[in-house]
Amino acid sequence: MPTNLIEIFSSFQGEGPHLGEPMAFLRFQDCALSCKFCDTPASFEKHADFRVETPPQSARFQSYPNPVDGEFLTRLLQPFSGQILSITGGEPLQQADFLAAWLPDLAWGDPVLLETSGVFPAALAKVIASIDIVSMDMKLPSVTGMRSYWNEHAEFLRIARQKQVYVKVVVSKPTDLDELREAIAIVEREAPGIPFILQPVTPAREVGETIPEARLRELYDFSKQRLADVRVIPQVHPMLGLL
Ligand code: SF4
């Protein structure tokens, strides 16, 4: 069963508690969501080709046609081995059937990290056995401009907690405290003690400004009243011009 990609490249992780660790990034096409702040609009387009950094860390790319099968993808990834593999997108769980069939044969040798919007629990269940670290978003409607996903997030976290997991919540000036309270309650109930990351929004698409420091402090203090491990970690790759 083939799949559709956007790119394969190496860089430093630019978000969350693994910030700064070198990783290989495997970016899949497609995302059914539409966050106002989305920094990967390429996810919404169909790509006839995908690009592979050749050789790794060179910032030079070679193109290959989509779709790609698992055996060829494994060969393309070999030069990137020796570091964490970040499976990202878009929403990689929209390719869950491909991942469920391909990941058990990959034998990566280092941890496999899944970056996901956290709204497709049934898809996560198909692949969780092959994932080591789950980087799970929780989507606040006041920040994303979409509906809430509380039931999906709760079910997702019940599956993700089998492995190392942390939750990232993008926050902006209009963040609604009742929504943040709901996200905190889900973490308290399903996986207390995991890292809970407040990620100040990076201006993109329909979002023109990040969150003021005083508001960020308020959201941190609010979260810290209920959760043990709360951190504020911004995206650093846009600041550094990294991929
Ligand atoms: S879930 Fe991620 S890829 Fe999809 S729209 Fe939101 S930010 Fe963009």
Side-chain angles (χ1 to χ4, degrees), residues 1 3 13 22 28 116 143 152 160 171 196 202 236:
M1 171 198 313
T3 191
Q13 176 57 248
F28 284 85
T116 169
V143 182
E152 291 92 336
V171 289
F196 187 80
T202 302
V236 300

Side-chain angles (χ1 to χ4, degrees), residues 17-40:
H18 290 276
L19 187 79
E21 294 184 37
M23 295 190 188
F25 292 85
L26 171 58
R27 188 184 304 286
F28 284 85
Q29 272 189 37
D30 296 331
C31 182
L33 306 191
S34 56
C35 305
K36 278 201 299 198
F37 52 78
C38 183
D39 61 354
T40 49

Side-chain angles (χ1 to χ4, degrees), residues 10-194:
S10 56
S11 188
F12 296 99
Q13 176 57 248
E15 302 180 351
H18 290 276
L19 187 79
E21 294 184 37
M23 295 190 188
F25 292 85
L26 171 58
R27 188 184 304 286
F28 284 85
Q29 272 189 37
D30 296 331
C31 182
L33 306 191
S34 56
C35 305
K36 278 201 299 198
F37 52 78
C38 183
D39 61 354
T40 49
S43 310
F44 309 126
E45 299 155 12
K46 293 291 171 206
H47 298 258
D49 301 300
F50 65 97
R51 65 179 195 165
V52 180
E53 191 181 35
T54 311
Q57 296 163 30
S58 69
R60 292 195 304 274
F61 291 86
Q62 193 164 329
S63 289
Y64 297 87
N66 276 316
V68 57
D69 67 36
E71 203 180 316
F72 187 56
L73 177 55
T74 297
R75 284 214 302 279
L76 288 174
L77 279 170
Q78 276 168 1
F80 294 85
S81 63
Q83 56 191 338
I84 292 174
L85 174 63
S86 168
I87 296 178
T88 188
E91 171 49 76
L93 287 179
Q94 289 182 213
Q95 320 282 337
D97 288 336
F98 170 82
L99 289 169
W102 171 67
L103 278 173
D105 293 334
L106 176 63
W108 183 248
D110 281 279
V112 174
L113 183 154
L114 174 69
E115 303 201 50
T116 169
S117 57
V119 304
F120 296 115
L124 179 66
K126 292 181 183 178
V127 305
I128 191 68
S130 301
I131 301 296
D132 302 293
I133 306 166
V134 181
S135 172
M136 173 190 173
D137 286 356
M138 279 194 177
K139 303 292 188 186
L140 307 188
S142 54
V143 182
T144 63
M146 301 184 297
R147 71 168 176 88
S148 64
Y149 290 92
W150 306 130
N151 291 339
E152 291 92 336
H153 285 327
E155 196 181 337
F156 195 97
L157 192 49
R158 276 196 287 278
I159 299 165
R161 69 188 180 193
Q162 301 171 37
K163 301 296 178 78
Q164 183 184 330
V165 57
Y166 55 91
V167 162
K168 271 191 293 142
V169 182
V170 175
V171 289
S172 62
K173 197 171 171 182
T175 299
D176 184 289
L177 276 187
D178 286 337
E179 294 171 6
L180 185 60
R181 184 183 289 111
E182 186 66 37
I184 291 167
I186 291 170
V187 173
E188 257 192 315
R189 198 169 61 239
E190 305 297 346
I194 65 169

